[in-house]
Amino acid sequence: MTVGQAVGEAERRLAAAAVPSPRVDAELLVGKALDSSRTALYTNSARELSAAESAVLDRLVARRAAREPLAYILGEWGFRRLTLKVDRRVLVPRPETEVVVERCLELLRGLEQPAVLDVGTGSGAIALAIADEHPGARVTAIDVAADALEVARENARVSGIDVDFAEHDVRDGLEGAYDLVVSNPPYVTAEEIETLEPEVRDWEPRIATVGEEHTAAIAAAATAVLVHGGHLVLEVADGRAGEVSNVLARLGYEDIRTGEDLTGRERVLEGRWSSRR
Ligand SMILES: C[S@@+](CC[C@H](N)C(=O)[O-])C[C@H]1O[C@@H](n2cnc3c(N)ncnc32)[C@H](O)[C@@H]1O
């Protein structure tokens, strides 16, 4: 089988498994099997695969056809300027979370050495991206899942970015003083998760996806650690920005604002904490 035929055959198998973007995924999987870039596949489309390469590709395509997230199969995923290691221990970082980071960086602009706390860091995506793009920031990141923290620490080591990671359950409260608290908490309900695509429902850690009380718990806990004028930035579920705004207002946050993701949905919520209230 040639490289071109391998891409076509992988695409056919992935389409039959109802994978949403079978062509792109096929190209990336053939690229991984051959240790080759997507563009190089086209310049080498007539080359024959060895038996060993075909066997590797067959296993990769079978995994994707079982709807394992592409990011887990590739073992890495792009997030802002970083390439993060990801596997079943962590949520795959999403494009809407890149917008959360963008808003944090805007709020931190002008602060030379802001103290930042990322609650539920998972792969370390938010914490590492903020530390990467605001070099003065002193970033702490917590997660209740020890295995997720292993991934986050590995990502910090590989990228050479300094973040202070700690295992902690936000429901036990927070300590310290921060200019900004940010979180992409678990916010899918137990009923909703069963209706989501298999990649999320069957593969991503439930501790990272399912949670109904986390958003309010983080907003409440953050009031104890935000400095005067500090900000809370939350990623919220599609359709829940209004409800969470009310939670923030009840807790006493001011200047509550929603921001949109790249598809125009209200997915970012922020509030400013005033300790002089
Ligand atoms: C939606 S994931 C976000 C991961 C990463 N921040 C991102 O945006 O890609 C939520 C994270 O919160 C963590 N988490 C769940 N419950 C928690 C709790 N009670 N305290 C601290 N972290 C928690 C999960 O382990 C998971 O890593």
Side-chain angles (χ1 to χ4, degrees), residues 91 93 97 120-122 125-126 143-145 168-171 184-186 207-208 214:
L91 188 95
T97 311
T121 196
I126 295 175
D143 204 292
V144 74
H168 183 72
D169 187 332
V170 69
R171 291 168 297 188
N184 171 20
I207 197 168
H214 290 74

Side-chain angles (χ1 to χ4, degrees), residues 64 66-73 77 86-97 122-123 147-148 184 186-188 193-194 196-210 235:
R64 188 69 188 103
R67 303 296 296 272
E68 182 173 348
L70 182 66
Y72 292 168
I73 303 170
W77 205 242
V86 286
D87 59 31
R88 286 196 75 172
R89 291 172 289 178
V90 294
L91 188 95
V92 177
R94 306 289 206 272
E96 52 269 31
T97 311
S123 62
D147 55 355
N184 171 20
Y187 50 63
V188 180
I193 190 84
E194 301 307 331
L196 297 182
E197 58 270 33
E199 285 83 352
V200 182
R201 186 191 65 208
D202 300 337
W203 293 91
E204 292 193 286
R206 288 276 164 124
I207 197 168
T209 52
V210 177
E235 182 171 321

Side-chain angles (χ1 to χ4, degrees), residues 190-242:
E191 298 79 51
E192 274 168 353
I193 190 84
E194 301 307 331
T195 68
L196 297 182
E197 58 270 33
E199 285 83 352
V200 182
R201 186 191 65 208
D202 300 337
W203 293 91
E204 292 193 286
R206 288 276 164 124
I207 197 168
T209 52
V210 177
E212 295 178 43
E213 77 289 8
H214 290 74
T215 300
I218 292 164
T223 64
V225 295
L226 280 169
V227 301
H228 176 68
H231 286 90
L232 171 70
V233 179
L234 294 170
E235 182 171 321
V236 293
D238 193 15
R240 303 234 177 90

Side-chain angles (χ1 to χ4, degrees), residues 9 13 23 36 38 50 54 63 77 86-87 99 112 131 155 172 177 181 199-200 220 223 227 230 233 258 269:
E9 170 63 9
R13 284 173 66 189
R23 183 71 188 184
S36 159
R38 265 170 88 194
S50 70
S54 293
R63 287 173 66 184
W77 205 242
V86 286
D87 59 31
V99 178
E112 265 180 37
N155 279 322
D172 293 337
V181 175
E199 285 83 352
V200 182
T223 64
V227 301
V233 179
T258 52
L269 194 62

Side-chain angles (χ1 to χ4, degrees), residues 19-272:
V19 168
S21 49
R23 183 71 188 184
V24 175
D25 288 22
E27 290 171 352
L28 289 166
L29 293 176
V30 175
K32 178 161 175 81
L34 304 184
D35 197 17
S36 159
S37 72
R38 265 170 88 194
T39 29
L41 297 180
Y42 288 93
T43 45
N44 295 318
S45 68
R47 154 159 116 64
E48 290 285 328
L49 267 67
S50 70
E53 287 169 339
S54 293
V56 169
L57 178 61
D58 182 56
R59 283 194 293 276
L60 296 178
V61 174
R63 287 173 66 184
R64 188 69 188 103
R67 303 296 296 272
E68 182 173 348
L70 182 66
Y72 292 168
I73 303 170
L74 298 177
E76 60 182 31
W77 205 242
F79 186 80
R80 293 191 63 95
R81 306 194 309 200
L82 305 171
T83 300
L84 299 172
K85 175 185 164 63
V86 286
D87 59 31
R88 286 196 75 172
R89 291 172 289 178
V90 294
L91 188 95
V92 177
R94 306 289 206 272
E96 52 269 31
T97 311
E98 298 189 303
V99 178
V100 171
V101 170
E102 186 68 39
R103 185 61 193 145
C104 292
L105 291 167
E106 283 165 10
L107 291 167
L108 295 173
R109 200 168 292 148
L111 297 180
E112 265 180 37
Q113 293 195 313
V116 177
L117 176 67
D118 174 21
V119 178
T121 196
S123 62
I126 295 175
L128 291 166
I130 291 176
D132 179 41
E133 296 183 54
H134 190 317
R138 291 168 289 126
V139 184
T140 303
I142 62 166
D143 204 292
V144 74
D147 55 355
L149 285 168
E150 286 170 14
V151 178
R153 287 194 173 103
E154 174 71 1
N155 279 322
R157 193 188 60 75
V158 170
S159 53
I161 297 171
D162 190 21
V163 167
D164 189 11
F165 293 104
E167 188 179 332
H168 183 72
D169 187 332
V170 69
R171 291 168 297 188
D172 293 337
L174 294 171
E175 283 178 7
Y178 296 96
D179 298 288
L180 183 120
V181 175
V182 55
S183 184
N184 171 20
Y187 50 63
V188 180
T189 68
E191 298 79 51
E192 274 168 353
I193 190 84
E194 301 307 331
T195 68
L196 297 182
E197 58 270 33
E199 285 83 352
V200 182
R201 186 191 65 208
D202 300 337
W203 293 91
E204 292 193 286
R206 288 276 164 124
I207 197 168
T209 52
V210 177
E212 295 178 43
E213 77 289 8
H214 290 74
T215 300
I218 292 164
T223 64
V225 295
L226 280 169
V227 301
H228 176 68
H231 286 90
L232 171 70
V233 179
L234 294 170
E235 182 171 321
V236 293
D238 193 15
R240 303 234 177 90
E243 180 192 318
V244 182
S245 294
N246 292 337
V247 172
L248 263 55
R250 276 199 298 276
L251 286 165
Y253 286 91
E254 298 172 354
D255 294 342
I256 298 164
R257 291 177 43 176
T258 52
E260 295 176 350
D261 69 9
L262 301 169
T263 62
R265 291 171 303 170
E266 292 188 326
R267 301 296 305 281
V268 188
L269 194 62
E270 70 186 55
R272 190 171 52 80

